[in-house]
């Protein structure tokens, strides 16, 4: 949202925010390492790092047309990165906080690629967007149920992040359908 509003102000402020995001993503990742004894704080810094990374790569660089990662032809890269992230986490080669950084970034990317591909190929009000929005809403409800049953702080935070991402995506679909006004228009 910061990028959306700064782009409306001026190009200079937009570039400052874009540069800030990449620096802040690195800073947040370093902070997650610094809080490794407190898993909740480390995970929170990881989540923030992943969000700032998405802001830089998926919003800022995409807006400048240096990247087009919302396009479906980036799906193989998304799948490969997701596979390696899951593999590294399952084998415990990387700490959980790394999973929060990469998982947040990859989760936003996956949901974004799904939504943008549907809108570009079919249109924002095509019938296929409605069951997709409902399915993502069901995923949000499922993640809420998983939060209530989670035992560890890591599990609770993972499912809370899934709830946040899926709820936000449902909101983006609702904005795209023009059911409620959004902070920006999706064309």
């Amino acid at each position: 949202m910061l990028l959306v509003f700064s782009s409306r102000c001026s190009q200079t402020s937009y570039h400052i925010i874009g540069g800030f995001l990449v620096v802040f993503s690195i800073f947040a990742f370093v902070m997650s390492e610094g809080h490794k004894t407190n898993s909740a704080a480390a995970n929170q810094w990881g989540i923030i790092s992943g969000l700032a990374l998405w802001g830089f790569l998926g919003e800022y660089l995409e807006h400048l047309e240096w990247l087009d990662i919302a396009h479906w032809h980036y799906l193989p890269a998304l799948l490969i990165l997701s596979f390696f992230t899951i593999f590294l986490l399952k084998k415990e080669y990387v700490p959980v906080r790394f999973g929060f950084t990469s998982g947040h970034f990859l989760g936003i990317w996956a949901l974004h690629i799904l939504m943008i591909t549907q809108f570009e190929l079919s249109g924002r009000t095509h019938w296929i967007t409605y069951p997709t929005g409902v399915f993502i809403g069901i995923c949000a409800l499922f993640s809420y149920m998983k939060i209530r049953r989670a035992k560890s702080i890591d599990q609770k935070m993972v499912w809370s992040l899934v709830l946040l991402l899926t709820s936000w995506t449902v909101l983006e679909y609702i904005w795209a359908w023009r059911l409620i006004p959004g902070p920006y228009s999706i064309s």
Side-chain angles (χ1 to χ4, degrees):
M1 298 308 299
L2 188 59
L3 283 170
V4 170
F5 295 124
S6 69
S7 71
R8 293 178 183 170
C9 290
S10 70
Q11 282 293 82
T12 303
S13 65
Y14 187 73
H15 294 307
I16 289 169
I17 297 299
F20 168 77
L21 285 171
V22 71
V23 170
F24 188 71
S25 177
I26 294 165
F27 170 78
F29 190 76
V30 169
M31 290 300 291
S32 75
E33 176 66 23
H35 287 86
K36 63 185 172 187
T37 57
N38 179 350
S39 68
N43 295 345
Q44 287 173 345
W45 281 109
I47 290 168
I48 292 168
S49 175
L51 180 62
L53 183 61
W54 172 259
F56 178 72
L57 293 175
E59 299 292 341
Y60 177 71
L61 290 184
E62 193 166 272
H63 180 75
L64 294 178
E65 298 180 356
W66 292 2
L67 287 176
D68 189 20
I69 65 174
H71 195 275
W72 64 268
H73 66 263
Y74 275 89
L75 185 61
L78 172 65
L79 294 174
I80 290 167
L81 287 172
S82 298
F83 170 79
F84 280 115
T85 297
I86 292 168
F87 174 78
L88 293 172
L89 287 167
K90 286 287 185 189
K91 294 288 189 178
E92 298 180 4
Y93 292 146
V94 294
V96 172
R97 58 191 175 277
F98 171 81
F100 278 96
T101 298
S102 60
H104 195 184
F105 173 77
L106 294 170
I108 295 171
W109 187 8
L111 292 167
H112 194 72
I113 218 170
L114 170 67
M115 186 177 66
I116 296 301
T117 299
Q118 281 187 333
F119 292 167
E120 285 179 356
L121 296 179
S122 305
R124 64 181 173 80
T125 58
H126 189 271
W127 70 268
I128 194 67
T129 63
Y130 297 102
T132 303
V134 169
F135 175 75
I136 294 171
I138 291 169
C139 291
L141 291 173
F142 175 77
S143 62
Y144 174 74
M145 292 186 309
K146 294 295 280 184
I147 293 167
R148 294 176 52 90
R149 295 185 183 135
K151 304 282 189 243
S152 72
I153 190 71
D154 290 342
Q155 290 174 344
K156 288 180 183 187
M157 291 182 79
V158 164
W159 289 112
S160 295
L161 183 58
V162 172
L163 176 62
L164 173 72
L165 292 177
T166 53
S167 298
W168 182 264
T169 303
V170 169
L171 184 59
E172 292 237 7
Y173 272 101
I174 291 170
W175 286 335
W177 299 328
R178 306 286 196 256
L179 296 177
I180 60 172
Y184 52 88
S185 64
I186 300 173
S187 52

